[in-house]
Amino acid sequence: TTKFTNALDIPVEFIEKNVKLRGKIHHITERGLEVEHVPISIPFITGIQRKWQSKGLLLVRLAGVELAPSGTAWLQQELKPKQMMWFQLLGREDLALECLVLINKGRFLSMCLNEEILRQGLGRTARIEGLRHDSRLYWKLHKRLLRAELKALKRNKGIWKEESYSERIRDRISNNKFVQTLKQFASWLRSS
């Protein structure tokens, strides 16, 4: 029932047990998602607690994902302010939380943002900070993230998109030294 306003307020046991917390998205920045923690509400007690709760936002980063600039733009377009989400604590680094982020898509469906970013080709798989490499959870999550990244690679999506054959030929011709010398000569002739 406690509202967390700082990453350091979250007990170490919560992170070790990979507890899921609920929150509202406020801002999406290059550093991560700024989220307001929404604690479990108990009718009578919650009303009293709100008077003494401080205000603050938690910085939540997508664990195991290295975002491309297009990934941040996609998040800003896809997620709405005050949208509810769940974030599973995997680690804490300074004032940021490394999390697996789940967004509700309908009544019974949810989407893992970490996987969706990789599936769209808007980032790369990275080391999951906060989890030990020899843990089963680390390898289970890492395998899921690699599969999502592989889907983007196979479909030529996002950062994995390859140039077409005609684009590669055009680039090779325009970057050819002889063609560049001819262009310089032609521009010199026009200016004379």
Side-chain angles (χ1 to χ4, degrees), residues 63-66 113-126 144-153 157 160:
V65 177
E66 182 184 316
L113 270 184
N114 307 52
E115 286 181 72
E116 191 59 29
I117 286 285
L118 295 172
R119 205 175 290 120
Q120 296 292 328
L122 302 171
R124 287 189 156 89
T125 305
R144 277 176 50 189
L145 296 176
L146 285 172
R147 276 193 198 125
E149 184 178 42
L150 187 61
K151 282 183 182 177
L153 182 65
K157 289 180 108 179
W160 306 110

Side-chain angles (χ1 to χ4, degrees), residues 90-150:
L90 299 176
R92 176 173 48 205
E93 192 177 316
D94 299 324
L95 295 175
L97 298 167
E98 296 288 330
C99 300
L100 201 61
V101 178
L102 300 166
I103 301 292
N104 289 335
K105 289 285 184 186
R107 183 171 260 177
F108 300 109
L109 298 173
S110 64
M111 169 181 70
C112 177
L113 270 184
N114 307 52
E115 286 181 72
E116 191 59 29
I117 286 285
L118 295 172
R119 205 175 290 120
Q120 296 292 328
L122 302 171
R124 287 189 156 89
T125 305
R127 183 174 182 269
I128 301 172
E129 300 295 333
L131 283 179
R132 291 188 357 256
H133 286 290
D134 57 350
S135 71
R136 274 173 79 191
L137 180 61
Y138 179 88
W139 289 107
K140 180 182 169 187
L141 292 176
H142 197 62
K143 193 163 58 168
R144 277 176 50 189
L145 296 176
L146 285 172
R147 276 193 198 125
E149 184 178 42
L150 187 61

